[in-house]
Amino acid sequence: MSMRDRLRTMGLGAFGLLLVIVSWEVIGRNQLLGRTFPALSDVLATIVDPARRGLFQRALEATIGSALRGFVFGSIIGFAMAALGVIFPPLRAGLDRLAAVMHAVPLIALGPFLIVTLSREGTPTAIATLAVVFNVFVATSAGLRVGNPLHHDVLTVLGAGSWERFRRLELPGALPFIADGLKLAAPAAVIGAILGEWFGAPRGIGIVIVSSLQNYQIDLLWSAALLGAMLSLVAFGAFSVLERWVVGRFR
Amino acid sequence: MLSPGAELSSESDKSADGSTDPSIEHDDISISTSPVLPHVDASEIGPANLSLSGVTKRFPLGRNDTVLALDDISLDIAPGEFVALLGPSGCGKSTVLRLLCGLEEPTGGDVRIRGCHPSELVADHRLGVAFQDHALLPWATVADNVALPFKVAGQPVDNDRVRSLLELVGIAEFAKARPKQLSGGMRQRVSIARALALRPEVLLLDEPFGALDAVTRRRMNLELQDIWSTDQITTVLVTHSVEEAVFLADRVVVMTGRPGRIQTIRTPGFERPRSPELLRSPEFHELVDELTIALDEEPA
């Protein structure tokens, strides 16, 4: 992309963002969508309100912690499942099916079950983990299988066994796909953590959302939702940068 | 025309008495550790002999259907010999190569390298191969690609060897470059350098210069001849270029397709090292014309 194209893309992006901010403010200020749609400035004022700082800080810490743990556990499990399917091909079909079944079960249906079997504290991490596993498993599996058959032949003729082939060829070849999977998994971890908190975690963004909804604290509800969304976007942005680097390096 | 079998036996006689054996003139400059003896001990490092006896290969085609890709191929290749497999696309010459490197198993007959299954040579990392598509790892530098066989074999990377190979194929200054930064010809050179890294006993080349322009190709042919005569590796080159086959090979095996059979075998007895002047000599053109006609002859 040329400098000029890049500037134009950035310009269009900034324009779009401005459009959203202005419409939000106008709609909220004039209550065009009712009293439950506050102006952006009111939501931001709630977020920076010193009286709320402690609440948001504790909630963010809890959610970030759960999302981070879920992201790490889920990435490791998803990667290990995919790698297992490549190093031991007979396991591949079964692992594919297991991942598909796991994905078919709605995470929200697992919530009450996890509360009972795990703990209230552990549920956000568990749901974040499950949300991440599928993304990472699918991306890693696709990446590990995409290899050039000729590369495969060269490694075979050089006398490589399946482990050597995995680490010299399949794994580096899969890294751009894995980075893409992590990019999608990062916001999934945040959403999974917030979802897990709904079922009665001690604290977190999800809890602030549920309690403010029940207490009709509209500005607080929107603030928590906005913070959750920002967290998700920051995670996505950070991993987009990582992905761009990995694609440039390994493809 | 002699039948393939008769041509074959006369060929092996010739190489046995040494009249056309190129190893005679290379022995003085050879750096390989063992001389080419009639009975080579399998544990000794040195060029290996290859043999295909009565090899047939069928590929599945649909549910209950198969296609005969190779029909009764018999060929003995002496240690240190350079053999070119020449034929039109789809004649099964690449399949012969894949059988020799153990990537395919014959449906019938036997493929042997030094009397063993090719997989034994592969397991010992004694086989070098280069394909038409360079098949270099895009994330590794040129030097790392050439060092790959060392890593796969679990051996410490011999950096001097890597450097001298890159010098040999004329791309030492690009050691730190990535494959995508190189031209097609340079990538092919890296690919050949990689095939040579562990001083293989057998070098198998599947149309390594197929995608190159005529000028680059001729230059690469000269380089390949130098490499082969220095290390004296038993080499099988699959090509559809008659000139390339005649210029490089001790024996040219002409194949016909559907099913793949050996049509004829010729011995370009030109003196080595062969120079670019040979390409302009009448004897060279005579043999090229003869083989071109042989290639065009469709079996009834």
Side-chain angles (χ1 to χ4, degrees):
Chain A
M1 215 192 315
S2 74
M3 196 63 200
R4 195 164 162 187
D5 288 342
R6 201 172 299 172
L7 276 176
R8 180 184 306 171
T9 312
M10 280 169 66
L12 281 171
F15 178 73
L17 189 63
L18 193 72
L19 202 67
V20 169
I21 290 171
V22 170
S23 339
W24 187 341
E25 187 63 27
V26 170
I27 292 169
R29 188 62 54 218
N30 300 303
Q31 299 204 338
L32 297 178
L33 290 174
R35 301 205 308 130
T36 52
F37 195 108
L40 179 60
S41 54
D42 293 342
V43 175
L44 291 176
T46 312
I47 289 177
V48 299
D49 182 357
R52 304 272 192 202
R53 183 168 294 163
L55 171 77
F56 284 136
Q57 202 172 329
R58 279 194 306 277
L60 272 175
E61 269 169 21
T63 305
I64 290 172
S66 302
L68 214 56
R69 278 190 296 276
F71 184 76
V72 171
F73 295 156
S75 298
I76 292 170
I77 295 170
F79 175 82
M81 278 170 65
L84 215 57
V86 169
I87 298 173
F88 304 105
L91 294 177
R92 182 183 285 186
L95 287 165
D96 279 357
R97 226 160 291 151
L98 176 65
V101 168
M102 274 171 62
H103 187 60
V105 177
L107 291 178
I108 201 152
L110 286 173
F113 166 77
L114 289 171
I115 292 276
V116 179
T117 51
L118 280 174
S119 67
R120 291 152 63 89
E121 291 83 357
T123 299
T125 301
I127 292 191
T129 304
L130 287 170
V132 168
V133 166
F134 185 73
N135 278 304
V136 174
F137 173 77
V138 169
T140 309
S141 296
L144 290 175
R145 287 168 204 180
V146 81
N148 178 345
L150 212 48
H151 281 147
H152 207 278
D153 287 349
V154 167
L155 268 281
T156 305
V157 175
L158 287 174
S162 55
W163 166 245
E164 276 295 322
R165 205 165 50 220
F166 176 77
R167 77 191 191 111
R168 304 273 174 218
L169 174 64
E170 283 150 349
L171 181 59
L175 286 179
F177 289 80
I178 295 173
D180 185 54
L182 293 178
K183 181 181 79 178
L184 298 175
V190 175
I191 292 161
I194 292 174
L195 193 66
E197 287 161 358
W198 284 5
F199 299 105
R203 62 182 72 83
I205 295 289
I207 283 301
V208 177
I209 291 176
V210 171
S211 68
S212 57
L213 185 65
Q214 283 161 351
N215 299 315
Y216 205 70
Q217 291 166 290
I218 299 301
D219 285 350
L220 190 60
L221 170 64
W222 279 79
S223 305
L226 187 63
L227 280 175
M230 299 293 281
L231 197 57
S232 222
L233 282 174
V234 166
F236 181 79
F239 279 92
S240 299
V241 173
L242 175 78
E243 187 212 9
R244 201 169 306 165
W245 180 80
V246 170
V247 168
R249 177 66 187 79
F250 286 91
R251 197 174 270 166
Chain B
M1 191 183 290
L2 286 165
S3 77
E7 183 74 34
L8 256 178
S9 55
S10 70
E11 260 323 300
S12 36
D13 290 343
K14 267 190 206 163
S15 45
D17 68 40
S19 60
T20 59
D21 192 344
S23 63
I24 302 292
E25 49 192 273
H26 298 131
D27 268 352
D28 349 341
I29 54 162
S30 168
I31 53 161
S32 77
T33 51
S34 71
V36 184
L37 297 168
H39 302 290
V40 183
D41 182 48
S43 63
E44 235 174 308
I45 306 290
N49 64 309
L50 315 179
S51 82
L52 297 134
S53 41
V55 168
T56 58
K57 178 69 185 173
R58 285 183 175 280
F59 286 109
L61 190 77
R63 190 167 298 210
N64 291 314
D65 209 5
T66 59
V67 61
L68 187 60
L70 294 176
D71 187 21
D72 194 23
I73 303 278
S74 290
L75 182 67
D76 281 295
I77 299 172
E81 197 182 9
F82 194 127
V83 168
L85 293 180
L86 182 64
S89 310
C91 73
K93 54 193 193 305
S94 293
T95 306
V96 172
L97 209 78
R98 290 178 67 81
L99 288 165
L100 285 172
C101 48
L103 288 170
E104 304 278 356
E105 288 299 319
T107 314
D110 224 2
V111 179
R112 298 270 141 186
I113 299 180
R114 204 192 292 234
C116 305
H117 190 273
S119 63
E120 295 193 23
L121 207 72
V122 165
D124 284 346
H125 317 285
R126 307 293 317 142
L127 203 135
V129 68
F131 296 104
Q132 174 168 6
D133 176 357
H134 53 84
L136 300 174
L137 302 178
W139 50 81
T141 62
V142 164
D144 285 342
N145 266 293
V146 176
L148 180 71
F150 287 101
K151 295 176 188 160
V152 168
Q155 298 176 9
V157 175
D158 181 346
N159 288 315
D160 293 338
R161 173 72 178 160
V162 171
R163 203 173 311 121
S164 71
L165 278 169
L166 290 177
E167 274 162 22
L168 183 68
V169 296
I171 42 171
E173 66 268 41
F174 295 103
K176 294 263 187 296
R178 300 257 300 275
K180 64 183 168 192
Q181 296 168 295
L182 304 182
S183 70
M186 289 194 216
R187 285 182 208 152
Q188 254 354 106
R189 291 166 198 226
V190 181
S191 167
I192 288 171
R194 176 176 65 186
L196 293 167
L198 295 176
R199 302 182 190 279
E201 293 164 47
V202 176
L203 181 61
L204 303 173
L205 304 168
D206 190 356
E207 302 257 12
F209 314 127
L212 304 183
D213 62 278
V215 176
T216 314
R217 189 169 190 152
R218 233 167 291 147
R219 197 173 304 144
M220 298 290 292
N221 283 343
L222 281 168
E223 283 174 16
L224 180 58
Q225 177 182 240
D226 288 348
I227 290 164
W228 171 80
S229 56
T230 311
D231 274 12
Q232 232 191 346
I233 312 161
T234 314
T235 303
V236 181
L237 169 75
V238 163
T239 182
H240 56 236
S241 160
V242 182
E243 287 84 357
E244 186 169 278
V246 171
F247 181 74
L248 285 169
D250 296 320
R251 276 194 296 161
V252 179
V253 178
V254 179
M255 291 182 65
T256 50
R258 296 167 219 281
R261 290 199 178 99
I262 293 179
Q263 192 194 27
T264 181
I265 299 178
R266 289 303 149 88
T267 311
F270 307 115
E271 209 177 303
R272 290 191 188 270
R274 296 172 184 171
S275 66
E277 283 77 59
L278 175 64
L279 294 165
R280 291 188 287 276
S281 73
E283 299 81 28
F284 181 81
H285 280 284
E286 205 174 302
L287 189 53
V288 167
D289 290 347
E290 196 187 320
L291 287 171
T292 308
I293 291 165
L295 271 176
D296 285 338
E297 267 172 29
E298 276 299 309

